[in-house]
């Protein structure tokens, strides 16, 4: 999209769609269309703030940066480098995510960095890496979805969370394909489905195992594919066979006839896909749950073949790129692992430091937040927070707010004065999407260039300028350029040879090709280091090797796939739109089955807490709502939180539409008006998570962590629901 002046529009600008752009073809949701409203001076921060006498008051940039540098340095001197933490965001550009990780590890010398993307795709990333050897949201372009035969969509309300992508599912059905939606609610997306399965929250793992049981029992496995391209089948098969249909019905609440229909529908066409989102992933068993859905793809030969595969739908603007270049606790740029000596040596070489000076892996996001302000040897006493609002978005949010208030020092970089920024000692106003240039990587692994369109207010600086200013004050006069393209060129060198290899990607090439898919190694050496670069994953020539099914895949590719697998320029790597067509990114090229079994959620219903709570988004708000709650049109469409509940439950409570209800867990309570609907299970209530105040549902949610991904269990916890005392309307937190 682009921008143009529009005096009558919010912010004096309006969005101009680019219909030729291959991903969304110019389509935007209301949030994208109204995004210029947050550019307006009245909606956003326009100058630094520092705390004096308990109040945040305006300050000059030099004073604000001095205060931040002094605050971080003082804590580091008193308590050591790991007493200083950094918390980033999945909305940061690749350049900013890279610079933030570098700043933390070099300038601060701290291992304590993670980001809110840990709450997004981490379970899918862990399961994908375990199965395929690499994590990329989709191993194929979105444009392949309408060409497959069946899509099994698990835990995604795409119609409200990613509306422009819904057209791919619409086109799938127009082309004769089928859509199965798994969701405990009958959402706008589920209404589009040929088959809707509504499992009890927290039972997606049992559901996937039950479908695999039926696939085996009905002789629908692809034994040739299993034998040629996978390992671990016998153990996974045995685990699935312990989940017979009647048992799965008792666990999930999905009737056996619907289970059988889903298995038949998924296996009937030649090609099919499984796509997951936060529903199965935001669980204390999310990695195993995604692994079970991947098992279904592998057992039926629906992976590593044209128009088939497993994919994950991202939840943030740079959800994919944000975790590839160093702001995640255990990773270095290029999706290298921080504990890998070779990875450390490569990145340290690019940075010009001794590998032994790089700290090791740090805490995951919730564990980092839980450590804030603790007067213990491993407590985190100062925090630099960038592009995140954990006071609203973190699980057990009241506890997280308490921990943030206990910090010795808190600095926040943000566009608006979010609920988290209100707690800060220093708030630094930074530029946003239209006011800066940078790259993002979408769920397809397509690296995109977002160009600066307008000048920011004079009092705002980019995050890269902030990091440069802080680095200089902390003794690093060089190594932190503020020019995005310079940072990207360094990122290319740092990523060279890694799984997410960007070394063959340039700003000019992204602009020319409307994005480039990683891995894309430089074929004639990486700019600036004189070395060649393979992608390190066995995928560098994925389009050019022989497939395990050459005649079948060649026919499909020729007849069904767009021509973007071919690059016209000589001696330039074409990028990799489609992974795994000939081999997976594991050492032996085979995908790994996961031998997983169903287990209970961290909290199951009890006499005191007899119901299940699940959470999610609504169409007109986004993430913690810090920006969208400042847009009048969006607030009018979704002015505040609500409690969705089934009519039978409402009758039992004596509650009517709009009555104030309290949703109570072991951690606290959230209060919001009732929304009575037959589109939700009678044993389940739903609340959206975009609001602070008494309607903050994350006060209630459970921080129980997946043992592999460290993802909190946002999607299911035990609650009771009561009529709340009459009071004021729930505050939507618009300011």
């Amino acid at each position: 999209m682009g921008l143009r002046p529009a005096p009558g529009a919010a912010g004096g600008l309006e969005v101009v769609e680019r219909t030729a752009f291959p991903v969304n073809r110019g389509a935007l949701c209301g949030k994208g269309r109204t995004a210029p409203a947050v550019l307006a001076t009245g909606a956003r921060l326009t100058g630094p703030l520092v705390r004096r006498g308990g109040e945040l008051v305006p300050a000059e940039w030099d004073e604000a940066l001095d205060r931040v540098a002094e605050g971080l340095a003082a804590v580091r001197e008193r308590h050591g480098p790991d007493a200083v933490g950094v918390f980033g965001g999945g909305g940061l550009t690749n350049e900013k995510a890279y610079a933030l990780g570098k700043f933390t590890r070099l300038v601060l010398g701290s291992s304590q960095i993670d980001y809110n993307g840990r709450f997004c795709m981490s379970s899918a990333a862990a399961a994908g890496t375990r199965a395929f050897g690499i994590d990329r949201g989709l191993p194929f372009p979105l444009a392949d979805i309408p060409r497959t035969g069946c899509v099994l969509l698990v835990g995604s309300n795409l119609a409200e969370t990613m509306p422009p992508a819904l057209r791919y599912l619409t086109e799938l059905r127009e082309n004769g394909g089928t859509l199965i939606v798994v969701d405990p609610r009958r959402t706008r997306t589920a209404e589009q489905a040929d088959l809707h399965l509504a499992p009890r929250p927290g039972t997606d793992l049992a559901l996937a195992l039950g479908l695999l049981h039926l696939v085996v029992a009905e002789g629908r496995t692809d034994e040739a594919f299993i034998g040629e391209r996978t390992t671990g089948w016998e153990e996974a098969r045995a685990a699935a066979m312990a989940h017979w249909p009647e048992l799965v019905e008792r666990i999930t609440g999905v009737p056996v006839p619907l289970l059988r229909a889903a298995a038949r529908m998924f296996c009937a066409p030649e090609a099919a896909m499984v796509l997951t989102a936060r529903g199965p992933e935001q669980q204390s068993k999310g990695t195993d749950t995604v692994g079970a859905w991947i098992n279904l793809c592998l057992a039926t030969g629906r992976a590593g073949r044209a128009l088939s595969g497993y994919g994950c739908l991202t939840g943030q603007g740079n959800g994919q790129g944000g975790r590839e270049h160093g702001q995640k606790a255990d990773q270095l740029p290029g999706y290298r692992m921080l504990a890998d000596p070779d990875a450390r040596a490569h990145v340290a070489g690019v940075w010009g430091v001794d590998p032994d000076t790089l700290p090791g892996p740090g805490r995951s996001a919730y564990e980092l937040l839980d450590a804030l302000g603790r007067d213990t040897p491993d407590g985190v006493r100062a925090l630099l927070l960038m592009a995140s609002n954990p006071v609203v978005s973190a699980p057990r949010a009241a506890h997280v707010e308490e921990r943030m208030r206990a910090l010795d020092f808190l600095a926040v970089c943000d566009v608006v004065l979010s609920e988290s920024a209100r707690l800060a000692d220093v708030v630094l106003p930074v530029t946003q999407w239209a006011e800066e240039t940078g790259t993002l990587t979408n769920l397809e692994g397509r690296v995109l260039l977002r160009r600066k369109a307008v000048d920011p207010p004079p009092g705002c600086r980019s995050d890269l300028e902030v990091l440069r200013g802080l680095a200089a004050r902390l003794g690093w006069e060089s190594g932190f350029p503020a020019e995005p393209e310079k940072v990207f060129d360094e990122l290319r060198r740092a990523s060279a040879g890694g799984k997410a290899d960007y070394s063959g990607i340039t700003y000019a090439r992204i602009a020319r090709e409307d994005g480039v898919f990683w891995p894309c190694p430089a074929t004639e050496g990486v700019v600036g280091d004189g070395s060649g670069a393979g992608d390190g994953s066995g995928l560098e020539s994925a389009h050019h090797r022989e497939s395990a099914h050459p005649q079948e895949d060649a026919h499909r590719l020729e007849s069904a796939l767009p021509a973007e697998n071919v690059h016209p320029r000589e001696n330039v790597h074409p990028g990799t739109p489609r992974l795994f067509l000939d081999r997976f990114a594991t050492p032996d090229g085979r995908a790994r089955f996961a031998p997983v079994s169903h287990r209970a959620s961290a909290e199951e219903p009890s006499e005191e807490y007899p119901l299940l709570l699940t959470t999610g988004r609504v169409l007109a708000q986004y993430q913690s709502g810090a920006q969208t709650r400042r847009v009048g049109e969006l607030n009018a469409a979704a002015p505040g939180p609500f409690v969705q509940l089934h009519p039978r439950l409402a009758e039992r409570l004596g509650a009517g539409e709009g009555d104030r209800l309290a949703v109570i867990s072991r951690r606290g309570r959230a209060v919001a008006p009732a929304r009575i609907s037959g589109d939700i299970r009678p044993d389940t209530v739903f609340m959206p998570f975009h609001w602070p105040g008494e309607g903050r549902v994350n006060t209630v949610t459970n921080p129980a962590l997946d043992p592999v991904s460290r993802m909190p269990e946002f999607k299911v916890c035990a609650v009771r629901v009561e009529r709340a005392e009459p009071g004021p309307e729930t505050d939507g937190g618009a300011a």
Side-chain angles (χ1 to χ4, degrees), residues 560-593:
L561 299 185
E564 54 194 352
N565 269 341
V566 180
H567 197 281
R569 299 168 64 87
E570 294 182 1
N571 300 320
V572 174
H573 190 282
T576 314
R578 297 175 182 84
L579 301 173
F580 315 140
L581 291 182
D582 61 336
R583 69 189 310 273
F584 296 96
T586 56
D588 62 3
R590 291 172 173 260
R592 272 78 167 125
F593 279 96

Side-chain angles (χ1 to χ4, degrees), residues 299-369:
T300 55
R302 308 312 177 79
R305 289 178 172 173
L307 304 180
S308 286
Y310 163 76
C312 170
L313 303 175
T314 53
Q316 294 196 69
N318 198 26
Q320 181 67 49
R323 68 182 180 277
E324 294 171 358
H325 298 297
Q327 67 170 333
K328 196 160 175 257
D330 56 354
Q331 287 179 2
L332 288 169
Y335 225 126
R336 288 181 161 88
M337 302 311 294
L338 192 55
D340 177 1
D342 291 338
R344 294 169 65 87
H346 173 85
V347 174
V350 174
W351 290 349
V353 299
D354 185 332
D356 292 339
T357 64
L358 297 180
R363 294 177 173 93
S364 72
Y366 181 77
E367 292 165 304
L368 174 58
L369 295 172

Side-chain angles (χ1 to χ4, degrees), residues 25-109:
R25 306 175 210 166
L28 292 172
C29 68
K31 296 185 286 289
R33 182 175 47 77
T34 60
V38 189
L39 297 170
T41 300
R44 47 98 59 85
L45 294 166
T46 56
L49 303 173
V50 300
R51 192 168 295 278
R52 290 198 190 98
E55 300 293 328
L56 286 172
V57 297
E60 296 299 321
W61 267 99
D62 281 344
E63 179 191 358
L65 290 172
D66 287 346
R67 287 273 297 268
V68 175
E70 290 164 4
L72 300 179
V75 167
R76 185 177 60 181
E77 283 185 24
R78 287 197 303 270
H79 304 288
D82 277 355
V84 181
V86 174
F87 198 91
L92 293 174
T93 63
N94 293 320
E95 293 82 357
K96 291 190 281 189
Y98 171 84
L100 189 63
K102 181 181 178 182
F103 175 85
T104 304
R105 296 182 173 101
L106 291 193
V107 178
L108 300 177

